[in-house]
Amino acid sequence: TCQHVSSLDLKNLCFVHLSRFLLFFSLQTFEKLLIANRGEIACRVIKTCKKMGIKTVAIHSDVDANAVHVKMADEAVCVGPAPTSKSYLNMDAIMEVIKKTRAQAVHPGYGFLSENKEFARRLASEGVTFIGPDTHAIQAMGDKIESKLLAKNAKVNTIPGFDGVVKDADEAVRIAREIGYPVMIKASAGGGGKGMRIAWDDEETREGFRFSSQEAASSFGDDRLLIEKFIDNPRHIEIQVLADKHGNALWLNERECSIQRRNQKVVEEAPSTFLDPETRRAMGEQAVALAKAVKYSSAGTVEFLVDSSKNFYFLEMNTRLQVEHPVTECITGLDLVQEMIRVAKGYPLRHKQADIPINGWAVECRVYAEDPYKSFGLPSIGKLSQYQEPLHVPSVRVDSGIQQGSDISIYYDPMISKLITYGSNRAEALKRMEEALDNYVIRGVAHNISLLREVIIHPRFVQGDISTKFLPEVYPDGFKGHKLTDLERRELLATAASLYVAEQLRSQRFLGTPRIPIAKSKQSSWELSVRLGDGIYPVAVSKDGSSFSVEVDGMKLNVTSEWNLASPLLSVTIDGTQRTIQYKLQILTKVAAELSKYMPEKAAEDTSSILRSPMPGAVVAVSVKPGDMVSEGQEICVIEAMKMQNSMIAAKTGKVSYLGSLKTICNLSNRIEFKKEKRRILCCSP
């Protein structure tokens, strides 16, 4: 580049770069920073710290000793065993690490202690900088009850509801009746969908109060709840704010977060297809007014519910870095972690409101270790036997904290990564997301990529016709996976058969020559059967150079590829169309297919009288005792998995005959079966 500019231009260019270099080092921040978190967000913070020349300290539980964030940090210290209450929520242990490592500042990430005012207070008392707002703002905005009152005073639109703390289930029922069903019961502290339940009647209110308070206590150490009117079928749109200690505050546009399951976001994008400039400005100005009302200083998010008429209502303010912050970074060009660190050190904001652009479009998919075919995603655990991120796809960003060989355990959130794509417009960003999802390789645990892909290509989503009820409306009977068209089925069968033949041919060769020099002449055609779902489909394959001609359903398809069988992904071209396919199926020779009909089928297990947990977890409550009669639909026990509580109910009537304290729960009919637990319940048949 330099040879194309004049010597004067080159001198000026060098002066500019030197000025920026000196400015960077003149804006001293911190020498050492501790990240009080784990996983992808810890890795995310460490990356910015490295860019800013800040040394980092990671904390970890004993099961996270080999985690990616531990390897990335300059120092790492264990703070306790796996349970969060004994490690990542253990303030005493974390404070000791801060003293030991002489960290000058702490970034809390999101979740855990990120919105804990006591943690921020203890840091301040030790002269350690909390990368976030002060304790007053955390108290005011972290407490949903107080924040709602402050929002009203700041002229921010709010949802009708009860503005106090709900004492017990009876009071919850009384308040819910006064507000009018449906109502939302939610934790006063925290967020992320934890401690939230929708209630449509008195019984659901009582149950929701119990579960929400238990989840809130487990996740945030605070079991206080509030109740407000549930706005049916809204959009969930939030405004990113950024404020400093000098009274300056900005709104960094919105994020559309309406695709959710169990009140947790799954797909986010920025900007929103729904907002016009006037509504965007009104929401942004109200968000900034609220931030200024509490003298907020750091990055924060003001969440709103927006109805079909574009009326918006304050939901809550998260006084931390939001999970979905990357989409805002993509369209504004700002590094929010860097801005948080600068603000915490006392520097004023570098931008004015007029400087904040909307450049292009960004989409984020949360990739979870979950089975999407069970309630849109029940947690899955295991070891990542194979893992490859689609970073070769243009304009793709992956924020992750795992690698091949990492364990997904029951102790923490099942998020694998955040997959972000960027484009000059929404269509381009979505197309890149589709390609990125197709090229994402995850083996060893169940994952939700199939659901994510179906969501982003669904006509309603593409048109922007979404709400928080998108998933149950589009999939009323639950997610069943992608339904293959006839063309897709033929292409899949042809690809599978070609891959099988390519593998067979490779196995016959050794260092480029046949294993047996006197081997019979090469085979040029194959008759195979492919088992796909419940069907078996005959295919005929013939080889033509590096290509295969495959006959399926009387139609011929030409399949070509480089046939790199060592790669976990294989790109093929079918009749001129490029495809990347990940699918489970079985390929049989003609003889094997004919003999398979004689194989006895494994009888399906009779589950009509069995209660089995759909996910691994811990039994936190048992609701029966020996001698109790249990009826269909009655709660037997409560399972906590990855910080969410789930009620296990009886499938039929029975009588509890025995309650033990073994490490198994057995099945209802003769027993209730559940593995890896601390109790056993035996019930007699009806």
Side-chain angles (χ1 to χ4, degrees), residues 327-375:
V327 292
T328 297
E329 293 183 325
C330 286
I331 67 167
T332 62
L334 298 179
D335 181 333
L336 292 182
V337 174
Q338 183 177 14
E339 297 301 323
M340 292 177 75
I341 293 173
R342 292 183 75 260
V343 166
K345 188 62 176 177
Y347 294 113
L349 297 182
R350 296 179 288 181
H351 305 282
K352 303 296 183 183
Q353 189 63 58
D355 301 331
I356 305 304
I358 297 181
N359 287 330
W361 212 283
V363 180
E364 174 180 291
C365 285
R366 300 192 189 189
V367 181
Y368 283 103
E370 292 180 337
D371 185 348
Y373 304 100
K374 298 178 180 177
S375 301

Side-chain angles (χ1 to χ4, degrees), residues 386-399:
Q386 202 166 29
Y387 183 75
Q388 181 174 296
E389 296 173 349
L391 295 174
H392 62 284
V393 178
S395 300
V396 166
R397 166 178 167 179
V398 182
D399 284 14

Side-chain angles (χ1 to χ4, degrees), residues 473-520:
E473 285 178 353
V474 172
Y475 309 105
D477 299 320
F479 179 65
K480 306 298 182 184
H482 179 69
K483 186 176 181 180
L484 293 170
T485 65
D486 288 340
L487 175 61
E488 289 172 337
R489 179 180 58 81
R490 287 192 294 269
E491 290 182 342
L492 178 59
L493 296 175
T495 302
S498 300
L499 182 59
Y500 173 83
V501 172
E503 196 279 331
Q504 291 296 308
L505 292 174
R506 185 185 69 165
S507 67
Q508 295 173 9
R509 306 186 67 83
F510 182 68
L511 293 179
T513 55
R515 289 178 180 271
I516 305 174
I518 60 173
K520 60 182 180 180

Side-chain angles (χ1 to χ4, degrees), residues 19 51 177 227 265 280 344 363 635 651:
S19 299
K51 182 174 70 174
R177 288 175 178 174
I227 299 179
K265 302 159 191 171
R280 176 178 295 116
V363 180
E635 180 180 283

